[in-house]
Amino acid sequence: MQKVNLAEKLAMFSSHWDPHVVASYNDNDVMVVKFKGEFPFHKHDTTDDFFLVLEGEVTMEYEAHDPVSFGPGELVVVPKGVVHRPKAAEEVKVLLIEPKGEPNSGDSGREPAPKPHI
């Protein structure tokens, strides 16, 4: 029953595409991550994907839809089964929520990040 300071947590690491768990609730992980560049196209068959931008701007590209750009205070929920990839020209800071154990890489073939707790 403590507060979580997201800026402090984000200052603890510098890597990109490497989510860090800062809290948990109802079998979900609440994570912070830094993005730069583009992630491979992928999908999650059993869960939606939640992205809330804290700093910067993300473009969510879709295989079968127009891309969506969003910035601080804006969020995108990618429905399960939808092929997508986040990308950012400059570093962005993002809050993610997903079920515990869900690999961040989906079906991309990329090695899933370990998701350490900080």
Side-chain angles (χ1 to χ4, degrees), residues 13-87:
F13 63 96
S14 60
S15 57
H16 295 130
W17 308 109
D18 187 19
H20 289 68
V21 178
V22 297
S24 298
Y25 80 99
N26 294 334
D27 294 323
N28 291 291
D29 285 329
V30 179
M31 298 167 285
V32 290
V33 65
K34 297 175 183 178
F35 295 169
K36 187 173 181 184
E38 60 187 38
F39 202 77
F41 275 107
H42 67 285
K43 63 181 169 56
H44 301 270
D45 288 326
T46 60
T47 187
D48 299 334
D49 224 353
F50 176 99
F51 299 83
L52 170 65
V53 174
L54 304 170
E55 290 182 29
E57 184 169 307
V58 173
T59 298
M60 189 65 67
E61 294 185 333
Y62 300 97
E63 191 174 70
H65 304 282
D66 290 336
V68 175
S69 293
F70 56 114
E74 298 177 319
L75 66 88
V76 165
V77 176
V78 179
K80 64 183 172 186
V82 173
V83 176
H84 64 285
R85 77 167 168 200
K87 72 180 208 178

